Amino acid sequence: MRNREGEFFNAKYHYLNFFAAGEAKAGYRLAKYKSNGTNTTIAGDQWKRAVIRLEGSSPRQAGFQKDYEKHLSDLLILKSKKMPLPNLAETALWYFRGRDVSEIVAGAVKTKERIEKLENEFIDLFGLTKAEIDQIFVRSTNDDEAPQSPVFVDAAPDPAQYLPGKPARMTGMAAEDLSNVSFDLVAALAAKNFVILTGPSGTGKSRAALKLAEGLQLHYANEVDLSLFELVPVGPDWTSPKRLLGYKSPFGKERKDQSGATTNDGYDLTSTLRIILRASHPDAAETPHFLIFDEMNLSHVERYFAPFLSLMEAANILDEEGGVSLVSEGDLALISEILESEDGSSKEAEAAKFLMTDGKSFNLPPNLFFIGTVNVDETTYMFSPKVLDRAHVIELNAVRPSAYLRGGALPDADAQVSISVASELLKSSIEDRRTQRNEIPNPADLLQKASEYNLSESEIDEMRSQIIAALDGCYDLLTPVGFPFGYRVAKEVFVYVLSWLATKQAGGADKDALVRGWPDALDKAILQKVLPKVHGNKRVLSDSLRALSAFLAGNHSGSTQAASYNLGLGTTIGIAEASRLILATQSVQMPHSRRKLDAMHDRLGSTGYVSFVN
């Protein structure tokens, strides 16, 4: 390791662990280290009386009062007036805790010398004057007052040693395993970069999304410094995209524009906008980034999410110079200026500059994935077909308390995929979107890619014909009650089946397992892409849900459980015997979709109304 002068030195001590001075004194000393500072801003009376001078308006300018240093100690919050002022050395040590300080303390041999170097670095960082230090800190005057060793250690300290609480309470609790994540979530995201997670409150929707994002953050730890994901809590008052994409403001921080003129033109740079910019950076092109929307339907999704919904489709037919953009060209130029003034070397600033220099539209990068969690009750809004058409909808169901309280395996315990496999699949899907590999005239031809998994031409043809039969039967039974579906849904069913095969194969499944198990992919594709739009009352739906369940079980109009229903006074809608769905590798066909349809039919009978998301 080199120091600031470029010289090598012995980097034995990298980290600070100030509070682990010994067994008896380990831990955060609540009685001694109190938060210091006032509970008001600089506009409060405590500051304005003797410390801060405010001038002008919109924006106001702040300066110091004459002899302000003499009054700084009056603003400190101490346990009592008898308590000493904060120790400067201890404050510096606390500030640098858990960081690699080897460069700062380079050349110092004794603990006292290292602490002095950290103290001086702290003073320089905050620009503290001698007068300020004299008023708000005390300084150690002899070795006895210096912090006890060991202060410097060669590994980052365990937070349990310095955070409040009793570590003994945590005994027996294991950290969450991020090495395996949800198979269904990964397969759906690989097929489509927008997934909606629904289900009763407390079923782990947010946790499933965060576990994937956190697992990938750890997986890419050696390649990226900043967060790959952002959790976005949706508010009930969101009526426009401003909460996500920010907005131009004339009341920004004073700065110099590109012409050298002074300006207050600003832009509200949201955390969402920043992560989209980071994902747009050329160096991040193959790295998955995530926007996770918590309680996505607390507001009308079609309003605040409108630009994203439009660009999800436009990205398939327009190139980067197509003119469709999340923000206007003028706003992007302003954003680039502001980011340059903040830190021109940041990933956000470099990405904005790259987009401006290359004349590219600021649209959705292929490596950006969206996950939304939803509950449906009297405080939320139902999704429109426009939203559902653009997403895979995965329902997480509640389980009996005994399934987890007695320590048994949960129903989906084996529906996992390793984080490394998830990474490779998502990277492959990023490349698919970038090159538009799935944008072909006939989506049924996508199955030809299954030959990569050693499936024969006859096996691929059989899969194709059965998927088409399933789509035809669903279309014929749902269209009369008002729920037809178009090209997009059919295409994404084929894309999902292909992604499912890729996920299984990457997880170690052989050819025989793929041939036997692929109907599970069709089952989940119908469940996630066809059924979510179905909703209505008994008069609208009639017995269509039961008929559709019978069709997916392999029945026809003349079966005991008939795949047919009466519409109106005399029209019968049904499936001919020649159009039955026969999945040769399954003894029980399409169990997930049928279970959902049967539950919806029962609810329709008991309440008179039903929707996919309950």
Side-chain angles (χ1 to χ4, degrees):
M1 187 176 292
R2 296 178 184 269
N3 62 15
R4 290 174 178 172
E5 288 71 41
E7 301 169 335
F8 285 98
F9 66 95
N10 184 356
K12 180 180 179 182
Y13 300 110
H14 290 180
Y15 299 92
L16 287 159
N17 192 6
F18 176 56
F19 293 114
E23 288 294 328
K25 295 184 178 181
Y28 187 85
R29 303 174 192 174
L30 297 175
K32 184 174 181 181
Y33 299 101
K34 287 291 181 182
S35 173
N36 291 282
T38 66
N39 59 358
T40 64
T41 65
I42 60 173
D45 290 340
Q46 289 176 284
W47 290 86
K48 285 196 297 183
R49 268 197 299 269
V51 177
I52 296 296
R53 182 183 72 255
L54 294 175
E55 297 177 351
S57 60
S58 298
R60 305 177 76 181
Q61 298 191 15
F64 287 117
Q65 301 275 16
K66 184 179 179 181
D67 298 327
Y68 73 93
E69 300 96 334
K70 298 177 182 179
H71 304 281
L72 288 175
S73 61
D74 297 334
L75 299 175
L76 297 178
I77 298 175
L78 300 173
K79 188 173 182 180
S80 72
K81 291 297 181 182
K82 296 180 181 180
M83 289 287 289
L85 292 170
N87 184 287
L88 181 59
E90 292 174 351
T91 305
L93 288 169
W94 178 250
Y95 179 79
F96 290 111
R97 71 193 186 281
R99 305 189 194 186
D100 186 340
V101 295
S102 49
E103 282 197 38
I104 301 174
V105 301
V109 178
K110 295 182 179 180
T111 297
K112 181 181 178 182
E113 293 172 339
R114 298 191 191 106
I115 293 174
E116 286 176 353
K117 282 180 173 285
L118 288 171
E119 190 178 282
N120 292 332
E121 181 78 4
F122 181 81
I123 292 170
D124 290 343
L125 279 172
F126 287 93
L128 297 173
T129 67
K130 183 179 183 303
E132 291 170 342
I133 292 171
D134 290 342
Q135 286 295 315
I136 59 179
F137 294 105
V138 294
R139 305 188 78 162
S140 302
T141 57
N142 57 60
D143 290 344
D144 293 336
E145 294 177 354
Q148 295 174 282
S149 295
V151 172
F152 295 87
V153 292
D154 57 5
D158 183 353
Q161 292 183 308
Y162 57 80
L163 294 179
K166 299 180 179 179
R169 287 179 149 183
M170 303 297 290
T171 301
M173 293 185 66
E176 184 175 19
D177 179 15
L178 299 177
S179 61
N180 291 289
V181 292
S182 167
F183 175 95
D184 287 341
L185 181 57
V186 171
L189 285 170
K192 182 77 176 182
N193 63 334
F194 182 22
V195 170
I196 295 171
L197 299 176
T198 180
S201 179
T203 49
K205 299 183 293 294
S206 298
R207 188 61 239 151
L210 287 170
K211 185 177 180 182
L212 173 60
E214 290 169 359
L216 288 170
Q217 183 79 52
L218 187 62
H219 182 74
Y220 288 100
N222 295 328
E223 301 175 33
V224 296
D225 298 322
L226 301 173
S227 177
L228 297 177
F229 65 95
E230 181 72 25
L231 179 64
V232 184
V234 175
D237 58 341
W238 288 19
T239 57
S240 77
K242 288 183 178 181
R243 304 279 188 160
L244 300 177
L245 299 175
Y247 52 89
K248 187 176 179 179
S249 169
F251 305 111
K253 182 180 179 182
E254 186 177 287
R255 59 183 176 82
K256 299 287 186 181
D257 63 17
Q258 290 183 336
S259 67
T262 300
T263 179
N264 287 104
D265 283 348
Y267 197 95
D268 179 50
L269 295 169
T270 64
S271 56
T272 304
L273 186 67
R274 288 180 182 273
I275 199 169
I276 298 174
L277 280 167
R278 292 204 296 274
S280 302
H281 195 286
D283 292 347
E286 294 184 355
T287 307
H289 288 66
F290 296 87
L291 283 175
I292 301 171
F293 295 89
D294 194 38
E295 302 286 358
M296 192 175 195
N297 60 334
L298 271 180
S299 287
H300 284 290
V301 178
E302 298 79 5
R303 295 178 182 174
Y304 72 83
F305 205 57
F308 297 86
L309 294 171
S310 297
L311 282 172
M312 282 179 189
E313 290 305 304
N316 294 331
I317 55 177
L318 296 174
D319 58 23
E320 292 176 316
E321 289 77 30
V324 179
S325 181
L326 287 170
V327 299
S328 68
E329 185 178 344
D331 283 351
L332 181 58
L334 177 59
I335 291 168
S336 182
E337 277 188 31
I338 294 171
L339 289 170
E340 184 71 23
S341 67
E342 285 184 357
D343 180 4
S345 64
S346 70
K347 292 295 184 183
E348 294 98 330
E350 290 179 353
K353 188 175 181 179
F354 168 76
L355 291 169
M356 292 294 300
T357 303
D358 282 25
K360 294 184 177 181
S361 300
F362 182 28
N363 50 33
L364 298 180
N367 59 333
L368 186 61
F369 296 83
F370 304 89
I371 304 175
T373 69
V374 303
N375 290 312
V376 173
D377 54 38
E378 64 277 3
T379 68
T380 60
Y381 298 91
M382 191 57 195
F383 289 114
S384 70
K386 178 180 180 179
V387 177
L388 295 174
D389 260 2
R390 287 162 172 77
H392 274 273
V393 181
I394 299 177
E395 185 176 35
L396 301 185
N397 295 308
V399 298
R400 297 187 68 201
S402 59
Y404 49 87
L405 294 177
R406 290 178 177 170
L410 295 176
D412 61 347
D414 58 348
Q416 303 281 308
V417 65
S418 72
I419 198 68
S420 59
V421 168
S423 171
E424 290 305 312
L425 288 166
L426 294 181
K427 286 171 69 173
S428 178
S429 73
I430 292 169
E431 185 62 20
D432 286 345
R433 279 190 292 279
R434 180 180 294 111
T435 60
Q436 299 187 11
R437 275 193 290 207
N438 293 332
E439 302 307 314
I440 60 179
N442 186 350
D445 292 339
L446 288 170
L447 280 186
Q448 288 303 127
K449 296 181 183 180
S451 60
E452 298 174 10
Y453 313 127
N454 298 320
L455 271 67
S456 67
E457 193 68 34
S458 61
E459 289 167 336
I460 293 173
D461 286 342
E462 180 67 14
M463 289 172 57
R464 184 185 292 112
S465 64
Q466 291 179 343
I467 294 172
I468 293 173
L471 289 171
D472 273 351
C474 292
Y475 182 89
D476 291 343
L477 291 172
L478 290 176
T479 297
V481 291
F483 298 103
F485 51 86
Y487 174 86
R488 183 190 296 117
V489 169
K491 183 195 79 172
E492 292 182 2
V493 166
F494 277 97
V495 173
Y496 180 85
V497 172
L498 197 61
S499 296
W500 186 96
L501 291 170
T503 308
K504 280 291 185 182
Q505 194 268 345
D510 59 18
K511 173 189 171 179
D512 290 341
L514 297 181
V515 171
R516 290 194 309 271
W518 79 264
D520 184 58
L522 175 59
D523 187 6
K524 290 178 179 176
I526 297 296
L527 179 67
Q528 295 170 189
K529 288 301 305 179
V530 176
L531 302 187
K533 291 195 296 182
V534 177
H535 67 278
N537 56 37
K538 179 68 176 176
R539 188 174 67 175
V540 170
L541 293 175
S542 184
D543 286 326
S544 59
L545 302 181
R546 175 163 287 179
L548 182 54
S549 176
F551 163 70
L552 295 178
N555 298 341
H556 56 88
S557 297
S559 301
T560 303
Q561 184 182 349
S564 64
Y565 62 95
N566 293 324
L567 184 67
L569 297 177
T571 303
T572 299
I573 307 297
I575 301 296
E577 185 173 2
S579 301
R580 292 174 61 198
L581 177 65
I582 302 298
L583 302 176
T585 60
Q586 280 194 325
S587 57
V588 179
Q589 290 191 177
M590 308 289 281
H592 300 291
S593 298
R594 288 170 51 209
R595 189 181 305 118
K596 181 63 178 178
L597 285 166
D598 292 342
M600 290 175 67
H601 177 81
D602 291 343
R603 188 175 182 86
L604 180 65
S606 62
T607 66
Y609 182 88
V610 73
S611 65
F612 180 89
V613 182
N614 288 316

